[in-house]
Amino acid sequence: MSKTRTAYEAANKVMEPGPLSEANPTGTWKDFLTLTKVGIVLNNLITTFTGIWIASVVTDFNLFANLHVLILAILGTAFVVAGGTSLNNFIDRDIDQLMARTNTRPSVTGKIPANQVLWVGLSLSALGTVLLYITEPMAALLGLLGLIIYVVLYTMWTKRTTSLNTVIGSFSGAMPPMIGWAAVDPNLHPIAWGMFLIMFLWQPPHFLALAMKRVDDYRDAGIPMLPVVAGFEMTKRQMVIYIAALIPVSLLLYSFGTVYIIAASVLGAGWLAIGIAGFFMKDDLKWARIMFVYSLNYLTILFILMIAVNVNP
């Protein structure tokens, strides 16, 4: 039986408890935090805050006099993202037990029973949506849209059926700066869409680098990630194409000034150079690790830079 077929069958059984979920529950607060993938939540909050900050500058919104908007938007986004990642753990526990990277998750080992994982995900998602709605209905709508794309279109469907899963997942991953902007200004400015496009194009090379690093895991679990179904050379080409497209898109925010333009160009050119170097390196996994680390630094530096150049004197 092919691995792809295995993935299709697993997709039809995601609502059934895995064989390890019957273990005696011994979940701690640390285990529950693991469910929410805190690292992913924090990364999303950086881009959310950037959207909030820049929207407040562009619209002359006094953020310090309206701290409740900042607090509600940040908490709402954090809970929605945490809820989505918890639901991802619930749905993926059948394939997570097949991968070395994920087989120690509490949703797999049974430290947290499957029904608790489900309720944590649903509760956090609902709470986050309510907080965003209190802040601004448009922010809640965008948060809910991102949640649906991540849980339904990505986790439950495309992750198990097509190598385009990374592209589909990128739509949800690009929502946080839009949510942040909408919390201040529901009339989404072109700058908000520019940040969305940057996030959208950043994610495929970032996650494809991870997929290359963990290609054996994905192959064992029958997940049709691009390195599994098309090999490393095709994956490298796709990554370079996305990075090349990201450079001019990042410059759409030229209104941020000369410092931003120069820094964004240098960051993008550096990433592109490393990407092209991958065609000449013999150790593909080493190259993938370098690309993964650079992608994290690229995003962090770029969004912090966006905030820095929009600080009013």
Side-chain angles (χ1 to χ4, degrees):
M1 182 180 293
S2 70
K3 294 293 184 182
T4 302
R5 178 60 181 169
T6 301
Y8 276 102
E9 292 177 348
N12 293 324
K13 298 190 295 181
V14 294
M15 300 304 289
E16 298 178 6
L20 296 179
S21 64
E22 301 302 325
N24 292 327
T26 57
T28 64
W29 280 109
K30 183 178 180 180
D31 292 321
F32 279 97
L33 285 175
T34 299
L35 283 183
T36 64
K37 303 181 183 179
V38 176
I40 292 178
V41 174
L42 293 177
N43 284 335
N44 278 279
L45 292 185
I46 293 174
T47 60
T48 304
F49 178 78
T50 304
I52 295 171
W53 181 266
I54 298 176
S56 69
V57 172
V58 171
T59 63
D60 291 323
F61 179 79
N62 192 333
L63 190 59
F64 294 103
N66 296 276
L67 284 178
H68 65 283
V69 172
L70 174 63
I71 294 171
L72 288 172
I74 291 294
L75 287 177
T77 304
F79 287 142
V80 167
V81 175
T85 54
S86 298
L87 291 173
N88 171 272
N89 277 325
F90 170 75
I91 295 165
D92 279 354
R93 64 195 190 282
D94 60 325
I95 55 177
D96 281 348
Q97 62 185 297
L98 303 176
M99 297 190 287
R101 181 173 67 91
T102 58
N103 62 14
T104 59
R105 288 177 176 172
S107 51
V108 174
T109 62
K111 286 185 176 180
I112 303 178
N115 64 328
Q116 288 188 21
V117 178
L118 175 60
W119 280 110
V120 166
L122 292 175
S123 299
L124 289 174
S125 299
L127 177 58
T129 302
V130 169
L131 292 177
L132 288 177
Y133 185 83
I134 294 172
T135 310
E136 169 56 52
M138 177 58 75
L141 178 62
L142 292 173
L144 189 59
L145 178 60
L147 180 68
I148 292 172
I149 292 174
Y150 179 68
V151 174
V152 179
L153 297 185
Y154 170 69
T155 303
M156 295 185 70
W157 180 26
T158 58
K159 182 177 181 179
R160 298 166 181 263
T161 58
T162 173
S163 61
L164 292 175
N165 54 31
T166 305
V167 178
I168 300 301
S170 294
F171 281 99
S172 63
M175 285 294 178
M178 295 274 280
I179 296 171
W181 189 289
V184 173
D185 174 25
N187 300 312
L188 298 171
H189 191 279
I191 291 176
W193 289 103
M195 289 189 288
F196 173 88
L197 289 175
I198 289 172
M199 288 295 300
F200 178 80
L201 291 172
W202 170 83
Q203 286 173 99
H206 169 74
F207 284 109
L208 288 175
L210 176 62
M212 287 181 65
K213 288 172 56 183
R214 300 294 184 177
V215 64
D216 290 335
D217 274 359
Y218 286 116
R219 184 179 292 113
D220 291 341
I223 303 301
M225 300 298 289
L226 188 62
V228 174
V229 301
F232 283 176
E233 289 304 307
M234 173 62 76
T235 302
K236 290 179 182 180
R237 288 198 291 272
Q238 290 293 313
M239 292 167 70
V240 168
I241 289 172
Y242 278 109
I243 296 169
L246 176 60
I247 295 174
V249 167
S250 69
L251 299 182
L252 290 175
L253 304 182
Y254 61 87
S255 62
F256 288 176
T258 304
V259 172
Y260 170 82
I261 292 173
I262 294 174
S265 299
V266 171
L267 284 169
W271 198 6
L272 183 61
I274 295 173
I276 294 173
F279 295 109
F280 305 97
M281 288 182 64
K282 294 182 179 180
D283 191 337
D284 289 330
L285 295 182
K286 179 180 179 180
W287 175 81
R289 286 193 293 272
I290 295 172
M291 288 288 283
F292 183 77
V293 172
Y294 192 97
S295 69
L296 291 173
N297 287 303
Y298 172 91
L299 188 71
T300 303
I301 294 172
L302 189 67
F303 273 78
I304 290 177
L305 179 65
M306 290 181 191
I307 296 170
V309 298
N310 281 284
V311 174
N312 291 323

